[in-house]
Amino acid sequence: MKVLLIGSGGREHALAWKIAASPMLTKLYAAPGNPGIAEEAELAAIEISDHAGIVSFAVENAIDLVVVGPEAPLVAGLADELAEAGIRVFGPSKKAAQLEGSKGFTKDLCARYDIPTGAYGRFDNAADARAYVERMGAPIVVKADGLAAGKGVTVAMTLDEALDAVAQCFEGAFGSAGAEVVVEEFLEGEEASFFCICDGKTALPFGSAQDHKRVGDGDTGPNTGGMGAYSPAPAMTPEMEARVMREIVEPTMRGMEEMGAPFTGVLFVGLMITQTGPKLIEFNTRFGDPECQVLMMRLKDDLLVLMNAAVDAQLAHSSARWYDDAALTVVLAARGYPAAPEKGSVISGLDAAKAENIEIFHAGTKLEDGGRLVAAGGRVLNVTATGGTVSEAQRRAYEAVDRIDWPEGFCRRDIGWRAVERERER
Ligand code: AMP
Ligand code: GLY
């Protein structure tokens, strides 16, 4: 089977690594890919926004399955365009990707199907949003409706912060993504990410993870795309998983089907585990980055078999098996990330850092003429390890991190701290 993978981050390197291990695979292409992905796939120099280019590449190369990594092309309708050209695709349609592309859409779905989530209001003008914020009081959460590359959410601890965020959205700080605003109840508890692979009707539970969004140790500093993750998430016990499936995932699948937008692909369920139970913070319609990296290290089954079963609506007859080991990934970022990462510094020592059960996934790297590997983005490498416990995976990941020679890079030193603390108390 010939597969085309769309994307160029650490998530896509992990997907390429796992897909490449499938006996079903005959040829893997990636567009546009990165130097790490190039070790697993043949790269095609097509940007992810070039839908016409992707469709014609898929047709010309008789691609049997396109796997879409990032959200932007899904929300912009790439899966529909591929399907129209007769190409099988793992990833939701434009209509189904509204679960990520419009926070208001998801909140309305929750209201209609009685899915537990924070109380909310949807607004298309600043005056009404302000009035709602003033009536509800702080703490409160203000969200740009559309895709804002993780920057559209303000968790406001004071009324002033919330009013500022409302003003910013309507002044265009997030472009068209902020033309509509969702104001939401502040939820308290422990966050967890839960994943399902979906075929339009059936959602197959696909593991859990915990991300670390702030740039600094102790969860301080600005928000990022994610500085590290581990799997499984301790809050996702089998009982909690069953409850999330029943109260959140199953009604969502039913709702999307009834709306004529059956959901296919990865449903990423962002949860707050509150005192009264799990509540939905948000959906994403693809794997998380870096959550995907830890899930791929733990997945025992053939990913390509499962993706095909999703596309063929056969998940009711499928299961996913996992290694008992925990996995943990540390993001190495370029100095200045997230505001202004420095580009071009040289990275070496990757071979020295490799070991059994360690994978170094590339995100923002570039191979220069002469073979030097340089930093070419904010998040640059994902050093990923497995171990019998999260503490063990953490120790092994940082050992590998310390063997990499890249003075211009940095990482958090406390990825996994919550789970490590729990393991110590046991
Ligand atoms: P999002 O971009 O929707 O993932 O939101 C970014 C982060 O903001 C989440 O990971 C949460 O930590 C936080 N957040 C979002 N919504 C809420 C909420 N209603 N209550 C508390 N925290 C929230
Ligand atoms: N790590 C969070 C995300 O992929 O959205």
Side-chain angles (χ1 to χ4, degrees), residues 129-279:
R130 257 199 318 267
Y132 184 83
V133 165
E134 276 162 0
R135 185 151 52 82
M136 304 303 283
I140 195 161
V141 183
V142 178
K143 302 184 172 184
D145 182 77
L147 288 188
K151 297 188 184 86
V153 175
T154 304
V155 180
M157 299 318 282
T158 67
L159 209 55
D160 281 348
E161 257 179 283
L163 294 172
D164 259 6
V166 167
Q168 274 202 19
C169 282
F170 288 110
E171 279 160 16
F174 308 109
S176 59
E180 199 181 313
V181 165
V182 169
V183 182
E184 191 181 279
E185 175 191 355
F186 173 75
L187 300 172
E188 269 179 291
E190 183 170 343
E191 275 187 66
S193 302
F194 175 62
F195 299 84
C196 293
I197 286 196
C198 308
D199 69 2
K201 266 195 183 341
T202 302
L204 182 70
F206 205 68
S208 64
Q210 202 135 22
D211 189 9
H212 298 60
K213 286 215 164 75
R214 302 299 193 96
V215 76
D217 284 11
D219 295 327
T220 55
N223 258 320
T224 69
M227 292 301 290
Y230 60 92
S231 172
M236 287 307 291
T237 58
E239 296 73 34
M240 186 57 70
E241 177 178 311
R243 201 168 160 189
V244 170
M245 288 302 291
R246 195 173 60 240
E247 295 179 10
I248 297 177
V249 175
E250 279 156 16
T252 298
M253 292 298 288
R254 198 166 60 242
M256 296 305 285
E257 204 184 350
E258 284 172 7
M259 223 179 281
F263 187 86
T264 323
V266 175
L267 188 66
F268 168 157
V269 188
L271 294 165
M272 189 71 85
I273 311 298
T274 71
Q275 280 189 338
T276 58
K279 291 197 175 177

Side-chain angles (χ1 to χ4, degrees), residues 272-294:
M272 189 71 85
I273 311 298
T274 71
Q275 280 189 338
T276 58
K279 291 197 175 177
L280 180 71
I281 297 180
E282 62 163 0
F283 282 130
N284 295 311
T285 59
R286 36 81 193 173
F287 281 115
D289 186 348
E291 291 92 331
C292 184
Q293 289 81 316
V294 285

Side-chain angles (χ1 to χ4, degrees), residues 382-397:
N382 310 139
V383 180
T384 315
T386 55
T389 58
V390 175
S391 313
E392 171 76 7
Q394 184 198 53
R395 186 182 60 73
R396 302 189 66 238

Side-chain angles (χ1 to χ4, degrees), residues 58 103 122 232 253 276 313 319 337 346 380 386 397:
K103 294 188 189 296
R122 262 183 107 163
M253 292 298 288
T276 58
S319 64
Y337 178 75
V346 177
V380 174
T386 55

